[in-house]
Amino acid sequence: MIQRFDIDGNPNLGVSILAKDNVAIVSPGLQDSYLETIKETLNVPVIKTPICGSNLAGALMAGNSNGLLVSQHVFSHELDILRENNVNVEVMPDTLTAIGNIIVANDNGVIVNPNISNKAKSIIRKTLEVEVVGMTVAGLDIVGSAIAATNRGALVHPDASEDELDMIEDVLGVPAEIGTVNRGVKLVGACIIANSKGVIVGNKTTGPELARIDQVFNLFEGSL
């Protein structure tokens, strides 16, 4: 299932909301209509909490079904909320705090900004229980913004090379294809909320872009 909405006119949904196969993290102030669309489309429980005192859970968190990673600026009461909801969450030690921009993960692997420290890679590997590989995509180290990935597929920045697509497929264990969202926006990871059950994109996303997204994430096959 694919749905479209903007949050108060903002189509960069992947910055605001984090979604995995077993949970979605959203701002406490998110409107009920959006909450219902998220629950219906992605078929996951929704946790309402600020992250690092902000409404940018998607930019400040990353992870997979095994666990979530969060910026070191997270508040203790926010961690308490996540853990009270049975979320396995670990704090990243690095000064690179926009975790969602520099990490992209599914249940098969993790791609990270190549400048992430070995200590951080160890935490990622232990928390998410998968292989960690550092690389750039289309010359960018913000791999979390350049790739939107689920356990079904990966939509990638349209300037990615064939070698990069091959590497993404090897690490994440799913087909990877280039594409855009919101009428030509290349930073697909910053604009898409997706898991294996559904996808939500901004209102400006065109018909051809929706068809590409449907194909890449293999949504027509139904639930896993």
Side-chain angles (χ1 to χ4, degrees):
M1 177 184 294
I2 301 179
Q3 295 284 357
R4 288 188 288 187
F5 65 68
D6 294 345
I7 299 175
D8 298 327
N10 184 354
N12 300 319
L13 306 179
V15 173
S16 301
I17 296 168
L18 177 81
K20 298 299 168 182
D21 280 5
N22 55 351
V23 71
I25 313 296
V26 307
S27 162
L30 193 67
Q31 296 179 20
D32 288 344
S33 59
Y34 299 145
L35 288 174
E36 290 306 312
T37 299
I38 292 168
K39 290 177 183 178
E40 176 185 349
T41 306
L42 305 183
N43 191 24
V44 290
V46 175
I47 299 173
K48 299 171 69 173
T49 179
I51 298 296
C52 305
S54 83
N55 298 328
L56 304 176
L60 297 169
M61 302 186 77
N64 63 13
S65 297
N66 296 319
L68 300 181
L69 307 159
V70 66
S71 163
Q72 63 178 332
H73 298 299
V74 67
F75 291 104
S76 59
H77 67 273
E78 296 167 348
L79 289 173
D80 289 342
I81 291 171
L82 294 171
R83 288 168 176 158
E84 286 167 2
N85 282 275
N86 299 314
V87 174
N88 174 29
V89 58
E90 293 295 336
V91 179
M92 292 286 286
D94 287 12
T95 56
L96 299 171
T97 57
I99 304 303
N101 290 341
I102 59 174
I103 299 171
V104 59
N106 65 7
D107 292 350
N108 303 316
V110 183
I111 294 170
V112 301
N113 178 317
N115 298 314
I116 283 183
S117 69
N118 289 332
K119 180 179 180 181
K121 288 179 183 177
S122 178
I123 291 173
I124 295 169
R125 190 177 297 110
K126 181 178 179 181
T127 305
L128 305 189
E129 301 178 18
V130 287
E131 176 189 9
V132 179
V133 174
M135 65 178 289
T136 60
V137 176
L140 303 171
D141 57 15
I142 50 172
V143 292
S145 294
I147 306 170
T150 72
N151 292 334
R152 288 185 178 275
L155 186 69
V156 184
H157 191 294
D159 295 336
S161 68
E162 287 297 328
D163 286 345
E164 288 171 338
L165 290 173
D166 288 344
M167 177 65 78
I168 292 166
E169 290 187 346
D170 286 344
V171 177
L172 300 182
V174 294
E177 300 287 348
I178 61 170
T180 60
V181 70
N182 291 331
R183 195 170 291 141
V185 174
K186 297 179 179 182
L187 293 177
V188 292
C191 298
I192 290 177
I193 313 167
N195 65 11
S196 298
K197 306 160 192 175
V199 177
I200 302 173
V201 295
N203 283 328
K204 289 184 178 179
T205 303
T206 66
E209 287 174 331
L210 288 171
R212 182 69 158 177
I213 289 165
D214 195 3
Q215 176 187 18
V216 168
F217 291 115
N218 201 20
L219 298 177
F220 54 83
E221 291 292 338
S223 300
L224 288 174

